[in-house]
Amino acid sequence: MNILFPFLQVTQKSPFPILINNLGQLHSIPCSDWNEEHVSSWLQAIGIKPEHIWKLKAEEVTGPVLLNINESYLKKLGLGGGQIQLLLSKRDELLLLDKSKTIKKRGENREEAKHEVVSSSDVTSPEQPLLSSDLTETSVSLPQSRYRKLNDNDEHFSYIKHAILPPETGIDNLITPCHEYKSLENACKLEPRKLKIKFASEVIRFACACMNMRANGTIHFGVMDKTKTSYKHGEIIGIPIEDKEIFQEALDYIEKCFPALHSDARKCIKTPKFIPIVDKGSQTQNWIVEVDVVPMVNIVRDKLYSAHIPKFNEKTNKIEYEQKAYYQRVGPNTPRITEDELVSFSQALKDLDQKREQEENSQNQTQAHFKEDLERKLLVLLTRGKKYMDNTLRYILVSNRFDQENLQNIKFLVQMNIFCVFDYDPDSKSSGLCHNYKEHHAVNLHFLHDYDHRENTVDLIKKLQLFDRTSWIFCNGRSDYNGGESPCDEKTWIKTKKKLLKRSVSVICNEILPKGSFVVLFIHTHITLQFNGHEDIVIISVSREIYKKWSSLAQVSCLLDILEQISVVGMPMSHINATIQVHQLTCHQDGCLPVSNNGVCFIKSVDVERMNSLEVVCVDQCDETNVDLMEQEQIQKIEQYFYQGGKIDWVNMWLADNNKCEEVIKRDAYAEISKMLEDLERSDSLKRSIENINIYHEPGSGGSTVARQILWNWRKKMRCAVVKQSYQATTVCEHAVQIWNYEEVDKNACLPVLLLLEDCNADYQDDLRRELSNAVTTMKISPSKLCFIILCCKRSLDPERMCTALPLRTVGVTHKLSPAEKKLFSKKAGSLKLKFEPEFILTFVLMSKEFEQSYITGFVENLLKEIDHSSLQTQLIKFVALLNSHIENSYLSISHCEAFLGLGIHLDKFDKMAKPSTSTWIDETHISSVRIIHNLIAKEILKQLSSYQSQSEIAMSLLQDKVLFDHRFGRDDFRKFVRDLFIKRTKKSKGDPNDSWFSPLIEHVRETEDVEKAIDLLKLAYTSFDEDAFVAQQLARLLNENKNFEEAEIWAKRAKSHLPQHIYILDTLGQVYKKWFYSKHDAICKKNADIQPEDITDIIDTALKGITAFRESEKCPQSKMVCLNNSYFGEVDIGCRLLELLSNVDIFSTKEGKRELMDYLLTDYIPEEVQKPWQRFHGLLKGMKDKPETVNNPRKWLLRKSAVYAKLFFHDIQEDEASDANIVSPLMRQMKIFQLGGGNVTTILYLLSDNNKQRAGAKLEKIIDLFPVNLKKDLDQTGLINFIFCQIALSCASPGSGKLHSIEELQNISRRFCSEKRTALPDTAYLLLSILFWPEDSMGKEPSNTRSDIVMNAIKALQRYSEIKSASSRKGRIFTHFFLGKARGLNKIVHKTTIEKFCKGTLSERRLKWQGGEVWTNPDVVKVLKRVTGYTENGNLFVRVSDQSNIRVIPLFSASLPNSNENVAFYLGFSLHGVVAFDIKVAE
């Protein structure tokens, strides 16, 4: 089946290119007839935000819905008040316009059809907003169409309704056909006989004229020939045809019309062609009927033709023939040849015959010799005019099924930089293009719904790993996949996947890849598409027939002339393969790694790509580059990019090694690090298995260049790689171990791996070192064997000080040059100035000047001379300088700059310091961006420009710029950078110069300008970022710092209203009350007067609010993940001061008063003096002695509190301890259970660690005997959990025990947990349910709905617990208690100790087997455990428990989980985090 590809949206400047194209038609379509696309176009035109347009489109808001939409509905969709007001007011204007305009039905149909195709000239610039009133003034142009080729029987050719054919023509030359149109608008309604006469008369007249003129011609029926109608001349209308024979039989009149020369007429007049009209808005099929006339010279030579034109006589109801007449073509008309003209016309026939013969011969020769240069066309289209193909462009491949012959010729695809593939072949993974491509490259297998995301673009890129591997998107399911993505027929596909396809293409082309950075390549497609841009599209079709059929349908959205320009047709796949490979800059080949025997081994590129957390540097890195194809200009660009401040590339050093460009200077630090590596490499030196070398460097000093030079020059002695820190340390470790022992036989002889870590935090470095150390230990490698060297390269403002911490393994790189370096830089500067202008190698020039402040100041002063401070270019530079000064690695995308300037980017003289970094990788997205070349220059620009416009004013202008904020491409990064300006604080621990109380911008404004300006900035930022809770929090902190407590409380509460359970925001609210309370407390204490209860009512209120806020902060779910002591200390401080204050109140200040205060706080007693003043606080004050989440015993509270509490509550402690002495018999039984080890789940399972299973079983039997007989009645929730765990443990220790219950009995008992819906169950209860109710049968047999529901709900609950608990512990520390075995009943539950029993050896050896995966190959383990089948989807692992439901399974090691959508098999474990997968294998 060939799925129709209904829509491809190519990225444009506007986030809604297809929508903008529709604006030209909206004025003539009633709003009630609008579809979702029309509404979206209108919404964009009036200025509604893009995210709201998508929401309304997703809700299928059409014209009728828009007319009736109300405010409450829009609020539900999340639109803000301003957006709602704008939409509704513009809608009302639209209603007035709509009512004042009436459109005929025929006109409506025409405009609906015109909506299908719009010429590119009608695209409205996004920088020119359209008001609704503008819509009525927009001119409409109909799409142009082209003729069918003369005498061509292409059955796939079609016309588009309402498209325009060129005007009727006379005779240009005798071969190029002339054209005549007849609408048959009224005649088509005639009875068949009359229609036949009308058709015959027009054909005979036109044919006679063409034969006399010796000219080719085509007469078209169904095309408008009059202009006095609502149609345009040449407009394709079409006619309905019920019987084609009417038109075919009409030519039977030829014999009577040409009585003498009818055989000639038969040869010249061709049979009618019936061309279908594509009209999506109509249910009926209309046609164009065309008759070609081809008067070959060998037929018409020396002959003059006359004809008797037939006509129908209405009076006699008979057919009559006009008198014989001669006809000719005069311009676009067909008049008779008059008697006066006849003689001269006859005499001219000989010349016409001669001319016809010459043109026929010339045409034959042209056709014989004309061959389209497909090689050049293919190269130009694929490279955008370059002479070679490199990796600067990404390719989006759209493909259908490949036959086996063509699959042998896909090597050119293997070597292309393919970003993603839209594949319509459901068998591609098993036997098609995907199968063959995977042999060379690692791919991620996706479906269309994977791109229907709701998270931001950056998160989607990370989740789908879009820039790590080629994404293979199966558009019509996969026949080999178990996850429910089956292939479907065309109707089902359109219903279920059409919108998903639109969304996927939009996300990739509009949100992820920048305009101009990619080419969409259609190859072997039988797919019909509609698109609104063609400059990024290339079509390759081996079959001309398929192309004809496809292009006929595709002309709905693109003119055939344009399609031909972007199509390469009829070129065999083998020729395409060879042609492209010749022009590819790099040829695909396996890399080489050094090995311990001083040789090399090959490493498959697919294996390198699977280690996607590492950028592996091979021995033969870049050797596949065809340097002969590279132009000198390209080599200079690579060199210039580096000297302008860009990060050095491997190809840069490769070119230098091959003498194609100048060598890169090695700073002194290079020799120091090389010496360290040589010392580590010596076998006689003392070393550890993992070593660290640190490089601390000032920004711009070349530290990262030194690090990469080290990797480059040591790649033949060690295995080298750069770590991608977006991956977890566990994943990096796994891949590092793979590269370490790749193709090595003796693990104790492997070469060390040199890993480069750039600008990582200390925690990540420690995690990676720990993971590598564990891996080395478990592999039984000698402790003195050097396995891994972590080369950590970090920015620092004081590198020399950082060296003192670890002097033997740390190198500092500063701006200061040594005498030897000065000579090198001076010499290099001289040679570079011969090749480049100084401003194009600015970073190198600054480095050679050692970044002297005086030089930077003078340089910037020179740049800023005579600038126009009011220009957009200057304002843009201010924005970039502001971001670059305060936010590390910030930038403005080129797309944002173009939108701001309203044109293609040009920064005048600032291009010397603003670097368009065309290969800057930010968050793993390839973005063309602009940033100031160095942080010091950015600060100097900002400093000098601040005399004209302060930083607060620049920031205010940035926040108020709607063009930048609403621009869609790169929006997430832009908003993040600007948001960080206001909330991101500096920390020494992260390499910043100091710890700041607020963001550097806010600190600067409040210290050097005015606090009120800082407050105003944060208020504007709050609204600009859609009422961001964290901006409100920072504003509350700033107001609190300046003792504006009332307003601080308002903003802290506002932040809490957005995030009511956020620990830091709750703590901020508590801190506001705390400082406010201190202020009030200190004020009343200074009075030195007697304090009455009425005097401190307001102070108590503030204090209790603070305690409540701090307690909420301590209790919120995040408190288990974040160690935040501020709230705890705040609560204690307020409590201590409040008690101190209470003890100073007049009635409590005496000795008796102190006892009365204690009675008040600990009992129900309320003194009369405080009864009324403190009426609101009695309960809260009395509750200070205990914590809500603990037992009502003040001891636990007192242990945490100060001496103030101890002094007050000491007597209460003694009373509580006395009351604890009364112990009843059920407690005695419970204590006995505790004594034996049955008191909690941990101790019960610990009994199984006893190697003497008989002893463990006996102890468990004693414990079980202590439980009551009536389990349901006499056991509470905890007791019941302990009993069932004792039963499970006993089945593992002594499977034949008589104390065991059956699994059915335990299931029945445990159903009590399912009924306790209002009670929060502990995670151990959910673990029990998941174990007991896990189906014993294969997943293919559906268990009962009740059982599957219990299992699913239990596991979901465990996973919810896990989301809270696992974040506080290190990832990967999931402890698995039980495994699923092959046996039945309770025996299916296999405890971990059983598996460990099969693993012989020391503790270290057993650990090695677990971490290395050897345990899963143990025959005894394989015999006991059961493999479960499942599937992966969207980065998650699932097991299907029924046709309607599935369970998510946690992979123990995320790196072992395939990123693609695959069928898998694994061993199943049960843990308190949910069910866990081990030894995941892709099912082949």
Side-chain angles (χ1 to χ4, degrees), residues 933-957:
I933 214 162
H934 196 279
N935 173 266
L936 294 177
I937 295 179
K939 288 181 181 295
E940 185 61 30
I941 291 171
L942 205 56
K943 178 182 175 183
Q944 295 189 22
L945 290 177
S946 293
S947 58
Y948 298 92
Q949 189 178 17
S950 66
Q951 289 195 31
S952 63
E953 291 171 332
I954 296 171
M956 198 76 76
S957 299

mmCIF file of all heavy atoms in Angstrom, residues 933-957:
data_model
loop_
_atom_site.group_PDB
_atom_site.id
_atom_site.type_symbol
_atom_site.label_atom_id
_atom_site.label_comp_id
_atom_site.label_asym_id
_atom_site.label_seq_id
_atom_site.Cartn_x
_atom_site.Cartn_y
_atom_site.Cartn_z
ATOM 1 N N ILE A 933 32.435 38.273 21.242
ATOM 2 C CA ILE A 933 33.523 37.306 21.095
ATOM 3 C C ILE A 933 34.166 36.921 22.424
ATOM 4 O O ILE A 933 34.723 35.849 22.561
ATOM 5 C CB ILE A 933 34.561 37.883 20.116
ATOM 6 C CG1 ILE A 933 35.197 36.777 19.298
ATOM 7 C CG2 ILE A 933 35.618 38.682 20.840
ATOM 8 C CD1 ILE A 933 35.887 37.290 18.064
ATOM 9 N N HIS A 934 34.092 37.793 23.437
ATOM 10 C CA HIS A 934 34.676 37.465 24.731
ATOM 11 C C HIS A 934 33.909 38.191 25.828
ATOM 12 O O HIS A 934 33.428 39.311 25.642
ATOM 13 C CB HIS A 934 36.157 37.858 24.771
ATOM 14 C CG HIS A 934 36.909 37.229 25.898
ATOM 15 N ND1 HIS A 934 36.877 37.723 27.176
ATOM 16 C CD2 HIS A 934 37.713 36.130 25.945
ATOM 17 C CE1 HIS A 934 37.629 36.981 27.966
ATOM 18 N NE2 HIS A 934 38.152 35.995 27.233
ATOM 19 N N ASN A 935 33.824 37.548 26.987
ATOM 20 C CA ASN A 935 33.094 38.108 28.115
ATOM 21 C C ASN A 935 33.642 39.470 28.523
ATOM 22 O O ASN A 935 32.886 40.393 28.865
ATOM 23 C CB ASN A 935 33.159 37.122 29.286
ATOM 24 C CG ASN A 935 32.571 37.677 30.562
ATOM 25 O OD1 ASN A 935 33.280 38.229 31.389
ATOM 26 N ND2 ASN A 935 31.271 37.539 30.713
ATOM 27 N N LEU A 936 34.963 39.661 28.482
ATOM 28 C CA LEU A 936 35.566 40.939 28.882
ATOM 29 C C LEU A 936 35.177 42.063 27.930
ATOM 30 O O LEU A 936 34.975 43.204 28.342
ATOM 31 C CB LEU A 936 37.091 40.800 28.940
ATOM 32 C CG LEU A 936 37.640 39.859 30.020
ATOM 33 C CD1 LEU A 936 39.155 39.750 29.910
ATOM 34 C CD2 LEU A 936 37.239 40.336 31.408
ATOM 35 N N ILE A 937 35.071 41.728 26.641
ATOM 36 C CA ILE A 937 34.646 42.745 25.661
ATOM 37 C C ILE A 937 33.180 43.095 25.876
ATOM 38 O O ILE A 937 32.781 44.259 25.798
ATOM 39 C CB ILE A 937 34.890 42.244 24.226
ATOM 40 C CG1 ILE A 937 36.387 42.080 23.980
ATOM 41 C CG2 ILE A 937 34.283 43.191 23.204
ATOM 42 C CD1 ILE A 937 36.743 41.570 22.612
ATOM 43 N N ALA A 938 32.367 42.068 26.150
ATOM 44 C CA ALA A 938 30.942 42.319 26.412
ATOM 45 C C ALA A 938 30.780 43.253 27.610
ATOM 46 O O ALA A 938 29.976 44.201 27.578
ATOM 47 C CB ALA A 938 30.224 40.996 26.655
ATOM 48 N N LYS A 939 31.536 43.015 28.674
ATOM 49 C CA LYS A 939 31.438 43.865 29.860
ATOM 50 C C LYS A 939 31.880 45.296 29.547
ATOM 51 O O LYS A 939 31.269 46.262 30.027
ATOM 52 C CB LYS A 939 32.302 43.276 30.981
ATOM 53 C CG LYS A 939 31.753 42.009 31.622
ATOM 54 C CD LYS A 939 32.664 41.508 32.724
ATOM 55 C CE LYS A 939 32.130 40.221 33.345
ATOM 56 N NZ LYS A 939 30.852 40.418 34.053
ATOM 57 N N GLU A 940 32.934 45.421 28.734
ATOM 58 C CA GLU A 940 33.433 46.759 28.396
ATOM 59 C C GLU A 940 32.427 47.513 27.519
ATOM 60 O O GLU A 940 32.214 48.717 27.695
ATOM 61 C CB GLU A 940 34.789 46.653 27.698
ATOM 62 C CG GLU A 940 35.462 47.981 27.414
ATOM 63 C CD GLU A 940 35.773 48.779 28.676
ATOM 64 O OE1 GLU A 940 36.011 48.155 29.732
ATOM 65 O OE2 GLU A 940 35.754 50.024 28.601
ATOM 66 N N ILE A 941 31.818 46.815 26.570
ATOM 67 C CA ILE A 941 30.780 47.444 25.729
ATOM 68 C C ILE A 941 29.636 47.937 26.604
ATOM 69 O O ILE A 941 29.153 49.072 26.469
ATOM 70 C CB ILE A 941 30.254 46.446 24.674
ATOM 71 C CG1 ILE A 941 31.342 46.146 23.640
ATOM 72 C CG2 ILE A 941 29.015 46.999 23.982
ATOM 73 C CD1 ILE A 941 30.971 45.013 22.707
ATOM 74 N N LEU A 942 29.200 47.079 27.516
ATOM 75 C CA LEU A 942 28.093 47.436 28.405
ATOM 76 C C LEU A 942 28.462 48.625 29.284
ATOM 77 O O LEU A 942 27.652 49.543 29.493
ATOM 78 C CB LEU A 942 27.733 46.216 29.263
ATOM 79 C CG LEU A 942 26.312 46.140 29.821
ATOM 80 C CD1 LEU A 942 25.286 46.227 28.705
ATOM 81 C CD2 LEU A 942 26.137 44.863 30.613
ATOM 82 N N LYS A 943 29.697 48.620 29.751
ATOM 83 C CA LYS A 943 30.161 49.713 30.615
ATOM 84 C C LYS A 943 30.152 51.044 29.863
ATOM 85 O O LYS A 943 29.676 52.058 30.384
ATOM 86 C CB LYS A 943 31.576 49.386 31.119
ATOM 87 C CG LYS A 943 32.197 50.473 31.987
ATOM 88 C CD LYS A 943 33.613 50.068 32.379
ATOM 89 C CE LYS A 943 34.314 51.182 33.143
ATOM 90 N NZ LYS A 943 35.714 50.822 33.471
ATOM 91 N N GLN A 944 30.674 51.037 28.626
ATOM 92 C CA GLN A 944 30.759 52.284 27.875
ATOM 93 C C GLN A 944 29.396 52.747 27.370
ATOM 94 O O GLN A 944 29.141 53.947 27.279
ATOM 95 C CB GLN A 944 31.747 52.128 26.720
ATOM 96 C CG GLN A 944 33.179 51.908 27.183
ATOM 97 C CD GLN A 944 34.189 51.976 26.050
ATOM 98 O OE1 GLN A 944 33.924 52.566 25.011
ATOM 99 N NE2 GLN A 944 35.364 51.364 26.250
ATOM 100 N N LEU A 945 28.523 51.799 27.030
ATOM 101 C CA LEU A 945 27.199 52.184 26.552
ATOM 102 C C LEU A 945 26.270 52.588 27.693
ATOM 103 O O LEU A 945 25.238 53.216 27.462
ATOM 104 C CB LEU A 945 26.566 51.033 25.759
ATOM 105 C CG LEU A 945 27.187 50.732 24.398
ATOM 106 C CD1 LEU A 945 26.501 49.532 23.760
ATOM 107 C CD2 LEU A 945 27.081 51.935 23.468
ATOM 108 N N SER A 946 26.625 52.203 28.930
ATOM 109 C CA SER A 946 25.765 52.508 30.075
ATOM 110 C C SER A 946 25.677 54.005 30.342
ATOM 111 O O SER A 946 24.758 54.460 31.019
ATOM 112 C CB SER A 946 26.284 51.794 31.330
ATOM 113 O OG SER A 946 26.146 50.402 31.203
ATOM 114 N N SER A 947 26.624 54.776 29.827
ATOM 115 C CA SER A 947 26.542 56.230 30.004
ATOM 116 C C SER A 947 25.407 56.816 29.176
ATOM 117 O O SER A 947 24.920 57.916 29.453
ATOM 118 C CB SER A 947 27.873 56.890 29.608
ATOM 119 O OG SER A 947 28.203 56.581 28.261
ATOM 120 N N TYR A 948 24.972 56.098 28.152
ATOM 121 C CA TYR A 948 23.850 56.541 27.325
ATOM 122 C C TYR A 948 22.544 55.859 27.753
ATOM 123 O O TYR A 948 21.479 56.439 27.661
ATOM 124 C CB TYR A 948 24.116 56.225 25.853
ATOM 125 C CG TYR A 948 25.328 56.924 25.292
ATOM 126 C CD1 TYR A 948 26.576 56.307 25.305
ATOM 127 C CD2 TYR A 948 25.230 58.205 24.761
ATOM 128 C CE1 TYR A 948 27.698 56.942 24.792
ATOM 129 C CE2 TYR A 948 26.349 58.851 24.246
ATOM 130 C CZ TYR A 948 27.577 58.217 24.264
ATOM 131 O OH TYR A 948 28.687 58.851 23.759
ATOM 132 N N GLN A 949 22.655 54.613 28.183
ATOM 133 C CA GLN A 949 21.468 53.861 28.601
ATOM 134 C C GLN A 949 21.911 52.880 29.683
ATOM 135 O O GLN A 949 22.768 52.028 29.450
ATOM 136 C CB GLN A 949 20.864 53.103 27.408
ATOM 137 C CG GLN A 949 19.515 52.467 27.716
ATOM 138 C CD GLN A 949 18.926 51.768 26.484
ATOM 139 O OE1 GLN A 949 19.638 51.492 25.520
ATOM 140 N NE2 GLN A 949 17.638 51.496 26.501
ATOM 141 N N SER A 950 21.346 52.999 30.862
ATOM 142 C CA SER A 950 21.769 52.161 31.984
ATOM 143 C C SER A 950 21.403 50.702 31.740
ATOM 144 O O SER A 950 20.558 50.385 30.896
ATOM 145 C CB SER A 950 21.117 52.640 33.286
ATOM 146 O OG SER A 950 19.712 52.434 33.227
ATOM 147 N N GLN A 951 22.029 49.835 32.524
ATOM 148 C CA GLN A 951 21.744 48.397 32.373
ATOM 149 C C GLN A 951 20.286 48.089 32.681
ATOM 150 O O GLN A 951 19.684 47.224 32.035
ATOM 151 C CB GLN A 951 22.666 47.569 33.279
ATOM 152 C CG GLN A 951 24.115 47.538 32.813
ATOM 153 C CD GLN A 951 24.925 46.451 33.492
ATOM 154 O OE1 GLN A 951 24.410 45.400 33.849
ATOM 155 N NE2 GLN A 951 26.217 46.707 33.648
ATOM 156 N N SER A 952 19.711 48.769 33.642
ATOM 157 C CA SER A 952 18.296 48.525 33.962
ATOM 158 C C SER A 952 17.402 48.931 32.792
ATOM 159 O O SER A 952 16.409 48.249 32.492
ATOM 160 C CB SER A 952 17.891 49.289 35.226
ATOM 161 O OG SER A 952 18.007 50.691 35.030
ATOM 162 N N GLU A 953 17.760 50.021 32.114
ATOM 163 C CA GLU A 953 16.969 50.463 30.958
ATOM 164 C C GLU A 953 17.121 49.499 29.787
ATOM 165 O O GLU A 953 16.153 49.217 29.074
ATOM 166 C CB GLU A 953 17.397 51.874 30.549
ATOM 167 C CG GLU A 953 17.016 52.942 31.561
ATOM 168 C CD GLU A 953 17.628 54.300 31.241
ATOM 169 O OE1 GLU A 953 18.709 54.340 30.617
ATOM 170 O OE2 GLU A 953 17.032 55.311 31.625
ATOM 171 N N ILE A 954 18.357 48.995 29.587
ATOM 172 C CA ILE A 954 18.558 48.000 28.521
ATOM 173 C C ILE A 954 17.742 46.747 28.824
ATOM 174 O O ILE A 954 17.063 46.190 27.939
ATOM 175 C CB ILE A 954 20.057 47.652 28.389
ATOM 176 C CG1 ILE A 954 20.853 48.875 27.941
ATOM 177 C CG2 ILE A 954 20.249 46.507 27.391
ATOM 178 C CD1 ILE A 954 22.371 48.686 27.985
ATOM 179 N N ALA A 955 17.794 46.290 30.079
ATOM 180 C CA ALA A 955 17.039 45.094 30.475
ATOM 181 C C ALA A 955 15.539 45.321 30.330
ATOM 182 O O ALA A 955 14.791 44.426 29.900
ATOM 183 C CB ALA A 955 17.382 44.709 31.905
ATOM 184 N N MET A 956 15.098 46.543 30.669
ATOM 185 C CA MET A 956 13.674 46.858 30.536
ATOM 186 C C MET A 956 13.257 46.803 29.066
ATOM 187 O O MET A 956 12.195 46.259 28.735
ATOM 188 C CB MET A 956 13.416 48.256 31.119
ATOM 189 C CG MET A 956 11.972 48.552 31.442
ATOM 190 S SD MET A 956 11.380 47.750 32.939
ATOM 191 C CE MET A 956 12.116 48.762 34.205
ATOM 192 N N SER A 957 14.082 47.355 28.202
ATOM 193 C CA SER A 957 13.776 47.318 26.762
ATOM 194 C C SER A 957 13.739 45.888 26.241
ATOM 195 O O SER A 957 12.901 45.536 25.417
ATOM 196 C CB SER A 957 14.829 48.117 25.981
ATOM 197 O OG SER A 957 14.838 49.463 26.381
#
